[in-house]
Amino acid sequence: MRKNTNAALGFIFTTVLIDVIGLGIIVPVVPDLIRELTGKGLSRAAELNGLLTFAYAFMQFVCAPLMGNLSDRYGRRPVLLFSLLGFGFDYLFQGFAPTLGWLFVGRVIAGMTGASFTTATAYIADVSKPEKRAQNFGLVGAAFGLGFIIGPALGGQLSTFGTRVPFFAAAGLSLLNCLYGYFILPESLPQERRRKFEWKRANPVGALTQFKKYPSISGLIFSIILVFLSAHAIQSTWLFYNMEKFHWDAKWGGYSLSFIGLMIALVQGLLIRIIIPKLGQEKSVYIGLMLYSIGFVLFAFATQGWEMFAFMVPYALGGIAGPALQGLISNQIPANEQGELQGGLTSLMSACSIFGPVLMTALFSYFTGKDTPFIFPGAPFLVGAFLTLLSAILAYRNYRKNKVVKEVVSAKENIQ
């Protein structure tokens, strides 16, 4: 049983890794491609990038619950393969884009089919024991980190041949990944654990209302929402911030993203398996969120380019919070609803990706534009620090509330 579980986790790790490498390849050239297609400056390009992310996130918000519910009905494997195929065609579409409008259409297509991470986390929940889920969820983060070591560095190098070349390389990787999954990836959800497909649950409203069935996780859900929002201070403005403040080019942007990937891979793939069992999931959440906040503040006030690499260390260590939160939530959900849970969480993440990039890029654009009262490109990072602190408070209140409820229930049982 353990051997089969390890093999299945190895398959899903490799699938996610190849997927993330493809995603990472295009990241360093996106600012230059937007400027190439529009002729606008960096501040405007940052705003447009936020809108592109909005288009992707909105479609994923709508479609992720559908994919999650389909995976609960028909299995993880076909949904994952469909998602990978969709990404491959999306990269080709964007690689040939003659106008900004084509990029938006490509992002819409990707959002409709982008269920690879949703299905991967449901897959991991299928093959993991409850006490191992938090550590195993870290495999997705480790694959993400390792993929971002390879992808951006490769994308930065490929950018020397033109801004379109990384998109074609990403398309090739995604399509090869689809073939790999077709021949290698086993199904993780047996027939007896599947459930009937219901349209009322296969939409973002239905998926989110399912959380009402589990009031004990409400505080954790709000906490993870704030983590998702804060992450866009990094995801949406990192390259623009460093281009503006330290005059980095696509190559240095790629190197920095590769370093971020290295730190994430170390934390999620190695340290998380040591730290979470020793600290416990609850303490891991608090410590991780505090480290996130410290990292954000340090980024905001960095004065030298090398400091961005150094300050990534405490920020990356904060990555223990995400899998710990996911583990706490997943352990309270039945086995045949894990796909729906992950679809719901992806919808939440997508909803945050609708508002987060627009908020963070607007802050960056305002505080680097002509009309700003003072230049401060680090404004999004300070907002991120505030959101992660608030997330820690909500998680703590949720824990205290549940502890009191359990004590009351235990006291009643003892009396009876």
Side-chain angles (χ1 to χ4, degrees):
M1 180 69 180
R2 183 177 179 180
K3 185 177 180 181
N4 291 338
T5 298
N6 289 339
L9 291 173
F11 285 132
I12 205 69
F13 175 84
T14 304
T15 301
V16 174
L17 172 62
I18 298 173
D19 196 24
V20 175
I21 290 173
L23 176 64
I25 284 175
I26 70 169
V27 172
V29 296
V30 169
D32 289 334
L33 181 59
I34 293 174
R35 288 192 287 182
E36 176 186 309
L37 292 174
T38 63
K40 303 294 184 181
L42 198 61
S43 292
R44 179 57 179 160
E47 285 186 290
L48 290 171
N49 186 58
L51 293 175
L52 283 167
T53 307
F54 171 90
Y56 170 81
F58 179 78
M59 293 310 301
Q60 193 173 64
F61 173 71
V62 173
C63 296
L66 173 63
M67 294 297 186
N69 276 268
L70 285 173
S71 76
D72 280 343
R73 174 64 183 88
Y74 298 105
R76 316 302 183 198
R77 186 174 180 273
V79 174
L80 185 57
L81 294 179
F82 174 75
S83 174
L84 296 175
L85 186 65
F87 267 126
F89 285 115
D90 167 60
Y91 291 136
L92 283 175
F93 195 90
Q94 292 184 88
F96 287 110
T99 66
L100 186 66
W102 278 52
L103 288 185
F104 276 100
V105 174
R107 290 288 77 195
V108 168
I109 295 171
M112 291 173 66
T113 60
S116 57
F117 296 113
T118 301
T119 314
T121 49
Y123 192 110
I124 289 171
D126 291 339
V127 300
S128 302
K129 294 180 179 179
E131 64 273 16
K132 293 289 185 180
R133 279 181 185 160
Q135 295 97 303
N136 289 341
F137 282 143
L139 282 175
V140 174
F144 191 91
L146 186 57
F148 257 79
I149 296 172
I150 302 169
L154 181 59
Q157 292 297 321
L158 289 174
S159 69
T160 60
F161 300 102
T163 54
R164 311 300 180 112
V165 174
F167 286 92
F168 299 132
L173 275 175
S174 291
L175 295 175
L176 285 173
N177 200 12
C178 185
L179 284 175
Y180 166 82
Y182 181 80
F183 289 107
I184 301 297
L185 191 68
E187 179 55 64
S188 65
L189 188 66
Q191 290 286 344
E192 64 271 16
R193 289 173 60 187
R194 299 181 187 184
R195 63 176 178 82
K196 182 180 177 182
F197 179 84
E198 299 177 73
W199 279 106
K200 67 180 181 180
R201 299 169 70 170
N203 62 79
V205 176
L208 297 180
T209 55
Q210 290 300 309
F211 289 133
K212 291 182 179 179
K213 296 191 301 183
Y214 308 101
S216 62
I217 65 172
S218 60
L220 297 178
I221 294 296
F222 283 114
S223 180
I224 208 167
I225 286 173
L226 295 178
V227 173
F228 290 155
L229 281 173
S230 69
H232 287 285
I234 299 290
Q235 295 173 15
S236 300
T237 69
W238 177 266
L239 290 175
F240 296 97
Y241 174 85
N242 288 299
M243 286 178 173
E244 171 72 21
K245 195 167 185 178
F246 305 118
H247 308 293
W248 288 2
D249 57 13
K251 277 190 178 181
W252 271 103
Y255 295 150
S256 72
L257 291 172
S258 293
F259 182 74
I260 291 173
L262 173 63
M263 294 305 302
I264 292 173
L266 286 174
V267 173
Q268 302 275 344
L270 178 63
L271 295 180
I272 204 171
R273 295 177 172 274
I274 301 171
I275 295 172
I276 290 182
K278 285 193 173 183
L279 293 179
Q281 293 182 351
E282 183 205 345
K283 287 184 179 178
S284 296
V285 169
Y286 304 146
I287 293 173
L289 292 174
M290 290 301 296
L291 287 169
Y292 269 151
S293 296
I294 292 169
F296 276 129
V297 173
L298 292 173
F299 289 146
F301 294 103
T303 58
Q304 302 288 331
W306 65 266
E307 292 177 348
M308 300 302 288
F309 289 84
F311 296 158
M312 180 50 61
V313 175
Y315 179 82
L317 287 171
I320 64 174
L325 271 171
Q326 273 190 293
L328 288 171
I329 294 169
S330 179
N331 288 345
Q332 300 184 58
I333 304 297
N336 66 348
E337 295 182 14
Q338 289 294 325
E340 182 180 37
L341 167 67
Q342 300 306 331
L345 288 176
T346 301
S347 281
L348 285 176
M349 185 165 56
S350 299
C352 294
S353 295
I354 291 171
F355 301 107
V358 175
L359 169 64
M360 299 302 181
T361 54
L363 281 170
F364 174 83
S365 181
Y366 177 73
F367 282 102
T368 58
K370 295 179 181 179
D371 299 326
T372 182
F374 56 92
I375 300 294
F376 184 55
F381 297 137
L382 286 188
V383 173
F386 170 76
L387 292 175
T388 47
L389 280 175
L390 186 57
S391 175
I393 293 170
L394 288 176
Y396 176 75
R397 289 185 63 185
N398 184 90
Y399 171 75
R400 295 298 302 173
K401 179 182 176 182
N402 288 340
K403 185 177 180 180
V404 171
V405 170
K406 287 179 181 178
E407 289 174 352
V408 171
V409 170
S410 178
K412 287 183 177 179
E413 288 176 350
N414 291 333
I415 292 173
Q416 292 174 354

